[in-house]
Every structure is written in structure tokens, then in C-alpha cells.
Amino acid sequence: MNSLDSRVKGFLFVMITCIAYGLMPALTQLSYQSELSVSTMLVGRIGFGAVLIWMTIFLRRLPYKVERKHLVFMLFTGCASVVQMISMSESYRYLPGAITSLLMFLYVSIVVIIEVLVGRERFDRTRSLCLVCSFGGLFLVIWTPGEGIELNWTGVILALAAAFFYGLYAIGLGEKRTRALDSEVVIGYMLLPPLFFSLVRCLVAGEPVLPQTLRQAWYIVLLAFLCVFVAAISFCKGVKYIGSSNAAIFNTVEPVIAYFAGILLMNDKVSSGAVLGGALILGSVIYLNLEKRMTSSQKRSAILQKSVPYNAKTEPLE
């Protein structure tokens, strides 16, 4: 298989991921209209999705036995996804799905801030500019006077909380101890804390664990299959073909999908200010990824040039 074929397949897999995740806000809001509670929806979505992922692990005979320290770390990181999933699911009650998706992409800026604070990254002019643009975009998304759109501050705070904890989750995925394992195995273990918490929440609140109508069951199956199983597996395949940097850059198509899905499925209205703010946020995300990638490429070129003998660079081969 040549490099062009690999690149095309990689982008196709990531596009599938973007479509699957982009449909999640609208599908979640439609599930609420069927009188499906947040707790029941999360149990069904995570539970059925986890079953599909673990079936894949066993069918493909992936090594799932891990060291105790790795298991503890994955479960701890999965706890961050508990808060993220609940905050995001609750925010759909107050905000259009496209707005929530745009705010969620601030997690990239949050990752940069945390990595600077812990000393992993250097806080330079480029990162400063990208962070200013991201938070400027956030202001435009929230501030929509005269547009006929009411943005509930409870929904905004929930979306920002989801972005923060998704940033922690993303940092956990980037650790060496998780990168060394199969992605399906990592996701399978990280789904256990949110599944356990959602199940307990359902039982304590007296909510039904299983959907009560065929319509509710249909939404749970769609959310679990598309937004947990398909999205996760497709993204893993996409990263294998084109690498994590390219996959992350292309994944910024997701809010655009969410924007049009909200308009088509939910009749959402999105202000011009929100569109401009979203463009600033996504532009900052893309530039942050590109800047890091270009810097790494320049460093590799410099190392290669230093490793080539002087005569080999100046004298032609006979």
C-alpha cells in the first residue's frame, strides 16, 4: 500500500469519527424529547458501547491484561471522563448542540495551559496568541445580543466544565503508559468508571436502567454504536494511517458537523457571532497543532543535516 492510499484511508476514518461525534449533540437532544433521562441515556450509551468495544477486544484477541499501575492510571483518567460526560450531557438541555460542541473544543487550550504549568511545554508567543484567540472566540460564542438566541449560563458553565475535564482526559491519553497499549483496551478500561457511576446514579435517583420505549431504545443504540463504538474505533484506525497530529487537526471538522446536524435535526439557530467565535476557536486549535508539528519537523531536519558529513552535502557523487 503506497503512502497516498494510506493517507486517503486515514482521512476517511477520521471523517467517520467527525460525523459520528458531530451527530451526538442532536441525537442526545432528540433522546431527551423522547423523555429519556440523562442517567438512563448515559447508562445505555456507555454500557452498550463498552460491550461492543470489549467484544472487539476478545474477538481480535488483543492483550487486555495490564500492570496494576497502568490499570489504576486508566481508571483514574476514566473518572475525569465521568464529569465530562455528565456535564456535556446536561449542557444539551440548555444550549444548542453546535454551541456546546464549539465550547468543548476549548479543551485544547486547557491542555496547553496545564502542560505549561507542569513544565511539559514552553509558554511562547504563539501559544499566547492562540489562547487569546480561543478565549476571544469563547466571548463571541456567549455574547449574542439581538440575535434571538437565548444562551443559558448554566449550560455555558456545564459546557466549560466538560471542556476542562475532557482536557484532563486527553492529557491522560497522551501519557506513555497509555500510548504503549492498544487503543481499544485503553478505551475499554476508561469506560468502566463512567459506566459504574452512571449505573449507581440511575439506581439512587430511581431512574430506569433500561429504556422504557422502543423510541428510547433506538436512540440509545444509535448513540452507543455511533458515538462510542464507531467513533473510537475509526479514530484509532485513522491515527494508525496518518498519525495523531493529522488526525487531531482533521477532527476539528466535528463542530461543523454538529452545527449542520443541529440545524437539520433540531432546527437550531446559531448567531453570526457564534460562527465567528467558533472560527476563532477552531483556527487556534488548528494553528496550535500545526505550529507544534512544524517545530518538530524543523528539529528533525536540523538533526539530519548535522548528521550528514560535510563532503556528502557539497561534493556530488560520481
Side-chain angles (χ1 to χ4, degrees):
M1 182 186 301
N2 59 47
S3 59
L4 180 60
D5 290 337
S6 298
R7 194 173 184 83
V8 171
K9 285 189 175 182
F11 280 125
L12 286 175
F13 278 122
V14 178
M15 188 61 181
I16 292 172
T17 304
C18 294
I19 294 172
Y21 277 140
L23 290 172
M24 184 167 63
L27 289 176
T28 302
Q29 290 175 324
L30 286 172
S31 72
Y32 293 157
Q33 291 181 2
S34 69
E35 299 182 353
L36 187 66
S37 69
V38 175
S39 299
T40 306
M41 184 274 295
L42 286 175
V43 170
R45 190 186 84 188
I46 300 170
F48 187 52
V51 168
L52 292 174
I53 288 175
W54 279 101
M55 283 178 60
T56 302
I57 292 171
F58 289 125
L59 289 175
R60 293 183 57 192
R61 298 181 180 179
L62 298 176
Y64 61 90
K65 294 183 179 180
V66 298
E67 296 182 22
R68 184 176 180 180
K69 61 180 180 180
H70 293 166
L71 177 61
V72 171
F73 180 79
M74 287 187 292
L75 294 177
F76 179 77
T77 305
C79 290
S81 69
V82 171
V83 184
Q84 179 264 323
M85 288 180 180
I86 293 175
S87 299
M88 185 173 63
S89 298
E90 291 286 355
S91 70
Y92 293 145
R93 292 183 175 276
Y94 304 98
L95 295 175
I99 299 296
T100 298
S101 294
L102 290 172
L103 295 178
M104 269 293 298
F105 264 80
L106 279 172
Y107 84 89
V108 177
S109 299
I110 292 169
V111 169
V112 172
I113 292 174
I114 293 176
E115 290 189 339
V116 168
L117 291 176
V118 300
R120 286 187 188 174
E121 296 285 352
R122 183 169 53 89
F123 195 79
D124 54 21
R125 187 180 304 174
T126 300
R127 287 185 175 84
S128 301
L129 177 61
C130 288
L131 290 176
V132 169
C133 290
S134 293
F135 286 102
L138 168 62
F139 178 80
L140 288 174
V141 170
I142 296 173
W143 183 254
T144 55
E147 295 284 354
I149 300 173
E150 296 182 3
L151 294 184
N152 188 293
W153 279 101
T154 300
V156 171
I157 293 172
L158 286 169
L160 293 178
F164 176 77
F165 283 96
Y166 191 73
L168 297 181
Y169 176 78
I171 291 173
L173 286 177
E175 285 288 316
K176 291 182 180 179
R177 67 193 84 184
T178 52
R179 290 204 307 265
L181 303 172
D182 289 294
S183 298
E184 293 88 347
V185 174
V186 172
I187 295 170
Y189 279 117
M190 287 185 177
L191 282 176
L192 296 181
L195 176 58
F196 175 77
F197 182 85
S198 299
L199 182 59
V200 171
R201 185 188 181 193
C202 243
L203 296 175
V204 171
E207 298 284 354
V209 175
L210 299 175
Q212 301 299 295
T213 66
L214 185 61
R215 183 185 175 191
Q216 292 178 354
W218 170 244
Y219 284 127
I220 283 179
V221 169
L222 279 178
L223 285 166
F225 182 73
L226 291 175
C227 306
V228 178
F229 179 73
V230 171
I233 300 301
S234 296
F235 192 74
C236 290
K237 290 182 179 292
V239 169
K240 289 181 180 179
Y241 281 114
I242 61 177
S244 57
S245 296
N246 283 330
I249 293 170
F250 197 65
N251 195 40
T252 55
V253 176
E254 178 191 323
V256 180
I257 302 294
Y259 171 80
F260 287 108
I263 292 174
L264 294 174
L265 299 178
M266 297 296 299
N267 295 318
D268 284 345
K269 294 181 180 179
V270 180
S271 70
S272 57
V275 173
L276 178 58
L280 279 173
I281 294 172
L282 297 183
S284 300
V285 171
I286 293 172
Y287 192 76
L288 275 172
N289 282 282
L290 285 176
E291 187 269 340
K292 186 174 182 180
R293 186 181 172 207
M294 289 187 293
T295 301
S296 300
S297 179
Q298 290 171 357
K299 288 181 179 179
R300 286 196 299 269
S301 298
I303 293 173
L304 288 174
Q305 289 177 0
K306 289 181 180 179
S307 65
V308 178
Y310 177 77
N311 289 337
K313 293 189 292 181
T314 58
E315 296 180 3
L317 296 175
E318 294 183 357

